């Protein structure tokens, strides 16, 4: 009887502790994304929120705020805002977070990753873990990888098969010096601007082209903005990081931490599947659909791709030192296997 009473008391204390902890939870946890539905990026964030609310019986309610609205539209400030506790959670771009975590520039090294297997070799292996440790050291807790996809090239002028075809083209690029360096090396005229500004610039012809994952090209219907020349060159990729503010994480019970982490992993896999749908050798359905809409899809041969690699090699070598030669070499070895 005494043992039974002791077990009851322990259980009661555990329930009180759980209730006390849950009572400290926020009524809403803000999740930042740069884009929302119907992009894989936004959909994976929504899936994460749904899974967490369901599996915590509503103790943790996450609301997705797309368009980087929690940082007044400046996506480069997202990482700092999470670290400071202004943002609770995020599904963030490795590109947007790279100014604060230099190791994330790895995925933007030109022509490092030739295929999806190469992305997986990095994110799901020793390199991915090392990058997560670098993010963690900056005060943000990474939980899982998702994906925005390979960044492909489109323009309104002519097909691009070699660096010579890029000469003089005004290409909208993201706000990263590495992208400026890459397109300058290819002979183009890189122009940094936000995505909100990019779409009207494409429609008016103020810029000739852009580079983005296919999910964004399709959802934004860029082929209706004159972007009818598409080059599937897989020059860089943009894995996404599903992360939480450490300040928030420490308020969750161990049980809820496990739920949030597992849900992030599951939602991240969902995002990867969406980002690759219809774009693989086994299933090129989306590319065929675009051809049916009048888009000229160029898939460079190995010889043509080699010319892009050669033209950007000085940029690669310079940034290899900035990112960390040891990490880049580990990445090269992982892809080589």
């Amino acid at each position: 009887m005494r043992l039974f009473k002791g077990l009851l008391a322990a259980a009661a204390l555990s329930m009180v502790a759980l209730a006390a902890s849950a009572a400290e939870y926020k009524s809403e946890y803000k999740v930042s994304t740069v884009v929302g539905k119907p992009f894989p990026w936004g959909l994976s964030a929504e899936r994460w929120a749904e899974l967490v609310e369901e599996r915590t019986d509503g103790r943790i309610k996450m609301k997705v705020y797309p368009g980087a609205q929690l940082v007044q539209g400046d996506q480069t400030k997202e990482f700092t805002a999470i670290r400071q506790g202004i943002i609770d959670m995020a599904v963030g771009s490795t590109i947007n977070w790279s100014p604060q975590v230099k190791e994330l520039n790895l995925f933007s090294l030109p022509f490092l990753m030739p295929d999806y297997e190469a992305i997986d070799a990095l994110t799901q292996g020793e390199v991915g873990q090392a990058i997560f440790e670098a993010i963690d050291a900056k005060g943000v807790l990474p939980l899982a990888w998702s994906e925005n996809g390979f960044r492909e090239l489109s323009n309104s002028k002519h097909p691009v098969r070699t660096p010579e075809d890029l000469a003089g083209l005004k290409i909208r690029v993201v706000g990263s010096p590495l992208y400026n360096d890459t397109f300058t090396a290819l002979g183009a005229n890189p122009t940094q601007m936000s995505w909100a500004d990019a779409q009207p610039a494409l429609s008016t012809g103020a810029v000739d082209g852009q580079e983005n994952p296919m999910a964004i090209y399709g959802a934004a219907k860029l082929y209706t903005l004159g972007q009818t020349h598409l080059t599937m060159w897989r020059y860089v990729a943009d894995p996404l990081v599903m992360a939480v503010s450490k300040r928030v994480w420490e308020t969750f019970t161990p049980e809820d931490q496990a739920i949030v982490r597992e849900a992030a992993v599951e939602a991240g896999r969902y995002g990867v599947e969406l980002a690759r749908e219809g774009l693989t050798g086994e299933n090129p359905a989306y590319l065929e659909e675009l051809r049916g809409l009048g888009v000229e899809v160029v898939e460079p041969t190995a010889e043509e791709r080699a010319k892009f690699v050669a033209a950007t090699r000085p940029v690669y070598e310079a940034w290899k030192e900035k990112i960390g030669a040891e990490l880049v070499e580990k990445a090269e070895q992982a892809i080589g296997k």
Side-chain angles (χ1 to χ4, degrees):
M1 179 63 73
R2 186 175 299 173
L3 176 61
F4 180 67
K5 287 183 178 179
L7 290 172
L8 282 177
L13 285 172
S14 178
M15 291 178 67
V16 168
L18 181 61
S21 178
E24 297 173 2
Y25 285 8
K26 296 182 180 182
S27 59
E28 174 190 289
Y29 290 90
K30 294 179 171 62
V31 184
S32 177
T33 64
V34 171
V35 299
K37 296 179 180 179
F39 303 96
W41 193 337
L43 290 170
S44 61
E46 293 286 354
R47 175 66 65 89
W48 186 20
E50 291 165 4
L51 291 174
V52 169
E53 183 168 357
E54 174 188 330
R55 295 174 184 177
T56 61
D57 297 320
R59 287 189 303 278
I60 300 176
K61 296 181 179 178
M62 298 160 56
K63 182 177 178 181
V64 178
Y65 288 81
Q69 58 186 285
L70 297 177
V71 283
Q72 292 75 52
D74 188 347
Q75 55 214 53
T76 61
K77 293 181 178 178
E78 185 179 65
F79 186 85
T80 300
I82 306 169
R83 186 170 54 189
Q84 294 173 341
I86 298 169
I87 291 173
D88 300 315
M89 304 167 181
V91 180
S93 162
T94 52
I95 300 170
N96 293 336
W97 292 5
S98 63
Q100 289 80 30
V101 186
K102 65 181 177 63
E103 291 83 355
L104 291 174
N105 285 295
L106 175 74
F107 300 104
S108 294
L109 277 177
F111 303 100
L112 168 65
M113 298 161 286
D115 49 36
Y116 291 117
E117 288 77 11
I119 300 177
D120 293 339
L122 300 187
T123 60
Q124 305 307 310
E126 183 182 347
V127 170
Q129 184 56 43
I131 290 174
F132 268 18
E133 290 171 4
I135 295 172
D136 183 89
K138 295 291 187 178
V140 173
L141 182 64
L143 301 179
W145 291 101
S146 189
E147 193 169 300
N148 198 19
F150 276 108
R151 300 182 74 89
E152 312 292 12
L153 176 72
S154 71
N155 81 93
S156 60
K157 298 298 184 182
H158 52 248
V160 172
R161 292 185 178 278
T162 66
E164 290 74 22
D165 297 326
L166 271 166
L169 288 185
K170 194 171 185 179
I171 305 294
R172 178 266 175 183
V173 297
V174 296
S176 163
L178 178 46
Y179 287 76
N180 258 352
D181 292 351
T182 297
F183 277 89
T184 298
L186 289 168
N189 179 11
T191 304
Q192 293 184 350
M193 62 177 65
S194 71
W195 184 237
D197 293 334
Q199 293 181 75
L202 291 169
S203 66
T204 62
V207 294
D208 301 314
Q210 60 85 52
E211 48 79 51
N212 251 315
M214 290 305 297
I216 291 178
Y217 177 91
K221 297 183 178 180
L222 294 186
Y223 47 85
T224 67
L225 303 181
Q227 298 296 294
T228 55
H229 301 287
L230 178 64
T231 301
M232 303 294 293
W233 60 347
R234 296 182 174 180
Y235 87 114
V236 300
D238 185 19
L240 303 175
V241 180
M242 309 189 80
V244 59
S245 162
K246 285 191 174 182
R247 299 184 188 186
V248 167
W249 185 252
E250 290 165 359
T251 68
F252 293 157
T253 64
E255 293 81 3
D256 283 343
Q257 287 178 348
I259 289 171
V260 173
R261 185 186 296 274
E262 289 165 6
V265 171
E266 187 173 327
R269 284 197 298 262
Y270 172 66
V272 170
E273 291 171 3
L274 291 176
R276 300 180 184 184
E277 189 174 3
L279 297 172
T280 64
E282 298 76 23
N283 176 20
Y286 185 53
L287 294 181
E288 293 306 316
E289 180 183 334
L290 289 175
R291 287 187 173 103
L293 292 170
V295 177
E296 182 173 2
V297 180
V298 171
E299 298 181 80
T301 65
E303 183 179 351
E304 289 168 341
R305 193 174 189 275
K307 293 180 180 180
F308 289 116
V309 173
T312 57
R313 197 65 191 181
V315 176
Y316 185 107
E317 294 298 335
W319 277 86
K320 179 177 181 176
E321 298 304 318
K322 295 177 184 179
I323 295 165
E326 184 178 350
L327 179 65
V328 175
E329 286 163 8
K330 282 184 179 180
E332 293 167 346
Q333 291 166 8
I335 293 170
K337 293 178 182 178

